[in-house]
Amino acid sequence: MDEETERLDALTQQAGRWLALSASPAERHTTAVVAGPYDRVAWRDVYARSAALRELAAQLLTRHAHAPDLLADVFLCAYQAAPRLRDSTVMAPSRLLHHQVVTALTQSPGFAALRRDTAGDAYAAAMAVLAQASALRGLLERSREVRERTGRADRARQEAEAAAAAVGEALRQAAEKADGQGQVPAPVAAAVRRAVGAAEAAEDEARREDGAAAQAMAAAVPGIRSAARNAASAAAEGVRQEAALMRAWGVDAGETERMPFEERARLAERLRSGRLARWAELIGRFRQMAAGERARKVEHATGELVGVTLGDDLSRVIPSELAVLGVPELRAVFAARYAAGELMLYDSRGEQGTGRGAVIACVDTSHSMYAEGPGGVTREAWSKACALALLDQARHAGRDFVGILFSAADKLQVFRFPGDRPARVTDVLDFAETFLGGGTDFQRPLGTAAKILEEEFDDASRARGDIVLITDDACEVSETWTRLWNEIKRRLDFRLFGIAIATPGTATASGSVLESLCDNLRTVDDLTDVHTTADLFRVI
């Protein structure tokens, strides 16, 4: 062989390994969670819509250059029903920290419970990411050495791949310079050998950096697992609190999932802020109490259920008696007992049947309603919570609900919630948040309520509505107004229930204005007690 030349096939054999690497370098993934196109679209969409997520990403970028990829992985863990992680060997070294974080998250005890609330719900999954913001910031701060090591390993791996590609390029040039017998000029062959040597050195360096990164990661694993557990707990608690807040205000999961992202975010922020957040627990207890009282109510039976008696009123027959009619041989026995008045019936006492017309809550919003009672509950909070439970009561019975907020004679606001369509949560919140201030006047709100019932009677022939007056004060009414009030009350056959909140004894004493106006009047002194008015929810 000519000393000035070398054969191409010998060079190719020498560089064959690097040629194969340059032809098909190993794929290195930058996301730890396997995601389909719809999952990726969900993340991009929620990221574009959420200023809070973008702000968090910007904060984390000051600590970690690949923060958006980490947030995407955390989101997908919460969003997917059964997240599947890639093998760590196919991850880009700089993303191995992400892989360890999401592995620890998916293995933490609280994350399975979290996913029950977030799986398939992009908004809830985004909220879970934001709830983990503090833990993620702390984790990145404490894992600085890991990030530096994996970053070096990533760069070394890229350099090794580039060196392998250089071998391929050197061989391509050698092939172009080879003559018909496959002889390659010595300078070109030397270039191939230099490229191979550089590739070997780069590969050795990449292995060393991989080993150093693996050691740093192993040392950091316990801390990552602890941080992941804390992050999962924080996320689960945050999502749970928001879901409880929504439920307390009567917003069901189906409704929130149908909301556009921006609207849902605004609603959640509105519920978390100010007075509404402080009222949520009280409102939830009122709604739970009212639901329980509805369950005790016996359809078509008058009054409070107190036991079982005997008689022949078929509207009050207990279910086990009616079951007898399903057995042909026992129908004659049923008929004989009916004739003798010996059927078992629900026994009730002391309450009128429910009405058919609108339920109207007249809520006092004078300055004194700001006053706090036991436990820091304000009179306003108690009255609004009671009114919202009455709204639920009306909707359950298919009746219209009207909320009338009043104070002085010139201050009144009416909120209508028809029974034939769902109540918009924003309208419910407007009703709850509105506070007029000023003094107290009964004539205008009660007159407005009576007019609404009169219009309902004229338009739909529905009588026997129910008005609930909630106030902490007393005021005088004129004789002329009282006469007109009594006339329309007799004609429409509606009822007025009065709730006096922490009022002086004289306001509810015999002969007082409240006592004379109301068919049923009770006083509430303990604002932490939601059961004072429990009987209302059996008769309204």
Side-chain angles (χ1 to χ4, degrees):
M1 180 183 296
D2 190 335
E3 294 182 358
E4 296 295 324
T5 63
E6 293 190 40
R7 290 193 62 79
L8 178 62
D9 53 356
L11 291 173
T12 303
Q13 185 177 6
Q14 182 183 13
R17 177 189 174 204
W18 309 106
L19 185 63
L21 289 175
S22 66
S24 57
E27 183 179 9
R28 298 289 175 175
H29 292 279
T30 57
T31 55
V33 181
V34 178
Y38 292 109
D39 294 334
R40 289 192 290 269
V41 167
W43 164 245
R44 287 196 296 267
D45 182 63
V46 79
Y47 186 81
R49 292 171 179 270
S50 173
L53 277 178
R54 296 194 300 275
E55 182 180 346
L56 175 59
Q59 292 173 359
L60 296 183
L61 277 170
T62 62
R63 297 175 171 85
H64 183 39
H66 308 298
D69 288 340
L70 175 59
L71 294 184
D73 277 332
V74 176
F75 169 84
L76 291 170
C77 275
Y79 181 67
Q80 294 180 341
R84 184 164 58 92
L85 304 188
R86 306 183 196 279
D87 192 277
S88 60
T89 57
V90 302
M91 295 294 297
S94 60
R95 307 312 201 276
L96 286 174
L97 176 63
H98 304 183
H99 190 280
Q100 189 60 54
V101 169
V102 296
T103 298
L105 278 175
T106 55
Q107 293 175 351
S108 62
F111 211 73
L114 170 67
R115 244 186 345 257
R116 283 196 291 270
D117 292 321
T118 61
D121 187 338
Y123 173 87
M127 293 302 102
V129 175
L130 293 173
Q132 298 175 78
S134 177
L136 291 174
R137 280 192 289 265
L139 187 151
L140 290 178
E141 189 63 37
R142 291 189 297 274
S143 61
R144 182 176 301 176
E145 182 180 355
V146 173
R147 289 185 286 112
E148 290 176 354
R149 286 291 187 183
T150 55
R152 288 183 204 166
D154 206 5
R155 290 189 294 273
R157 181 56 55 193
Q158 292 171 5
E159 290 171 2
E161 291 173 355
V167 172
E169 177 61 21
L171 282 173
R172 186 188 64 78
Q173 292 182 10
E176 289 179 354
K177 299 291 185 181
D179 60 18
Q181 285 75 41
Q183 302 295 324
V184 178
V188 177
V192 172
R193 286 193 295 274
R194 285 195 300 273
V196 171
E200 290 175 345
E203 180 65 19
D204 290 341
E205 179 64 17
R207 287 198 191 98
R208 283 193 294 273
E209 291 295 347
D210 283 346
Q215 289 180 354
M217 183 66 72
V221 164
I224 292 173
R225 287 176 179 168
S226 176
R229 283 195 299 270
N230 294 336
S233 297
E237 182 61 24
V239 171
R240 196 160 42 239
Q241 286 180 357
E242 181 164 309
L245 199 59
M246 293 287 185
R247 285 194 300 271
W249 283 95
V251 185
D252 60 44
E255 184 177 357
T256 55
E257 288 176 7
R258 291 190 298 271
M259 285 183 183
F261 184 91
E262 298 89 341
E263 181 182 347
R264 187 169 173 182
R266 286 194 300 270
L267 173 61
E269 180 59 30
R270 187 176 179 184
L271 292 180
R272 283 193 297 265
S273 62
R275 297 179 300 158
L276 298 186
R278 296 195 299 273
W279 295 357
E281 191 270 339
L282 180 66
I283 291 169
R285 287 197 291 124
F286 250 109
R287 284 190 152 129
Q288 186 176 15
M289 177 273 292
E293 294 304 317
R294 280 197 297 273
R296 291 182 60 193
K297 186 186 296 186
V298 181
E299 295 297 332
H300 310 301
T302 302
E304 179 185 5
L305 176 63
V306 294
V308 175
T309 187
L310 299 179
D312 59 0
D313 186 349
L314 295 178
S315 68
R316 295 160 52 202
V317 173
I318 67 173
S320 60
E321 287 279 36
L322 293 175
V324 171
L325 294 175
V327 182
E329 293 81 1
L330 296 179
R331 289 173 185 169
V333 176
F334 181 92
R337 294 179 63 192
Y338 171 63
E342 294 179 353
L343 293 175
M344 287 190 290
L345 314 175
Y346 284 117
D347 192 16
S348 57
R349 70 180 180 197
E351 293 171 353
Q352 302 176 50
T354 57
R356 300 190 309 274
V359 177
I360 303 178
C362 296
V363 181
D364 188 349
T365 59
S366 59
H367 284 309
S368 58
M369 293 291 284
Y370 269 134
E372 291 186 357
V377 179
T378 65
R379 299 172 183 180
E380 180 198 13
W382 193 97
S383 63
K384 295 285 182 63
C386 182
L388 292 176
L390 289 169
L391 167 59
D392 284 351
Q393 190 79 357
R395 302 204 64 75
H396 186 269
R399 301 167 67 183
D400 292 352
F401 177 83
V402 181
I404 299 177
L405 304 180
F406 70 93
S407 57
D410 61 339
K411 293 184 177 181
L412 182 139
Q413 195 161 345
V414 177
F415 296 83
R416 294 176 180 263
F417 300 91
D420 59 354
R421 56 181 179 268
R424 293 180 55 207
V425 65
T426 51
D427 293 340
V428 174
L429 295 180
D430 288 342
F431 169 61
E433 285 185 307
T434 301
F435 192 88
L436 303 177
T440 304
D441 173 78
F442 291 163
Q443 291 186 181
R444 189 177 176 201
L446 291 178
T448 301
K451 184 176 180 181
I452 291 171
L453 292 178
E454 185 176 31
E455 292 171 352
E456 182 184 38
F457 179 76
D458 293 340
D459 294 341
S461 299
R462 286 199 298 267
R464 299 198 61 236
D466 292 306
I467 302 173
V468 181
L469 174 65
I470 309 174
T471 182
D472 70 340
D473 205 349
C475 68
E476 296 300 320
V477 293
S478 69
E479 290 185 14
T480 302
W481 182 89
T482 303
R483 184 172 61 255
L484 294 173
W485 168 262
N486 290 332
E487 288 176 359
I488 195 170
K489 189 170 182 295
R490 279 193 298 271
R491 185 163 66 87
L492 301 179
D493 192 25
F494 61 77
R495 298 174 295 183
L496 175 61
F497 298 87
I499 303 176
I501 303 177
T503 57
T506 55
T508 56
S510 178
S512 66
V513 171
L514 279 175
E515 196 274 337
S516 62
L517 288 176
C518 298
D519 302 291
N520 184 306
L521 176 64
R522 79 282 321 282
T523 300
V524 176
D525 294 316
D526 183 359
L527 299 184
T528 63
D529 182 10
V530 302
H531 295 280
T532 311
T533 56
D535 60 306
L536 281 181
F537 297 93
R538 293 194 297 275
V539 296
I540 290 181

Coordinates of all heavy atoms in Angstrom, one line a residue, residues 28 114 233 271 282 472 488 530:
R28 N -33.5 11.6 22.8 CA -33.5 12.1 24.2 C -34.7 13.0 24.4 O -34.9 14.0 23.7 CB -32.3 12.9 24.5 CG -31.0 12.1 24.3 CD -30.8 11.1 25.5 NE -29.7 10.2 25.3 CZ -29.3 9.3 26.1 NH1 -30.0 9.2 27.3 NH2 -28.2 8.6 25.9
L114 N -55.7 13.5 44.8 CA -55.7 14.7 44.0 C -56.2 14.5 42.6 O -57.1 15.2 42.1 CB -54.3 15.3 43.9 CG -54.1 16.4 43.0 CD1 -54.9 17.7 43.4 CD2 -52.6 16.8 42.8
S233 N -49.5 17.2 48.8 CA -50.5 17.5 49.8 C -51.0 18.9 49.7 O -52.2 19.1 49.8 CB -49.8 17.3 51.2 OG -49.4 16.0 51.4
L271 N -64.8 34.0 44.7 CA -65.2 33.3 45.9 C -64.2 33.2 47.0 O -64.5 33.1 48.2 CB -65.6 31.8 45.5 CG -66.8 31.7 44.6 CD1 -67.0 30.2 44.3 CD2 -68.0 32.2 45.3
L282 N -70.5 28.7 56.6 CA -71.9 28.9 57.1 C -72.9 28.6 56.0 O -73.9 27.9 56.3 CB -72.0 30.4 57.5 CG -73.4 30.8 58.1 CD1 -73.6 30.0 59.4 CD2 -73.5 32.3 58.3
D472 N -82.9 42.7 61.7 CA -82.4 42.9 63.1 C -83.0 44.1 63.7 O -82.5 44.6 64.7 CB -80.9 42.9 63.1 CG -80.4 44.3 62.5 OD1 -81.1 44.9 61.7 OD2 -79.3 44.6 62.8
I488 N -104.6 42.4 50.5 CA -103.9 41.6 49.5 C -103.4 40.2 50.0 O -103.4 39.2 49.3 CB -102.7 42.4 48.9 CG1 -102.3 41.7 47.6 CG2 -101.5 42.4 49.9 CD1 -101.3 42.5 46.8
V530 N -77.5 27.1 62.8 CA -78.3 27.1 61.5 C -79.6 26.4 61.7 O -80.4 26.3 60.8 CB -77.5 26.5 60.3 CG1 -76.2 27.3 60.1 CG2 -77.2 25.0 60.6

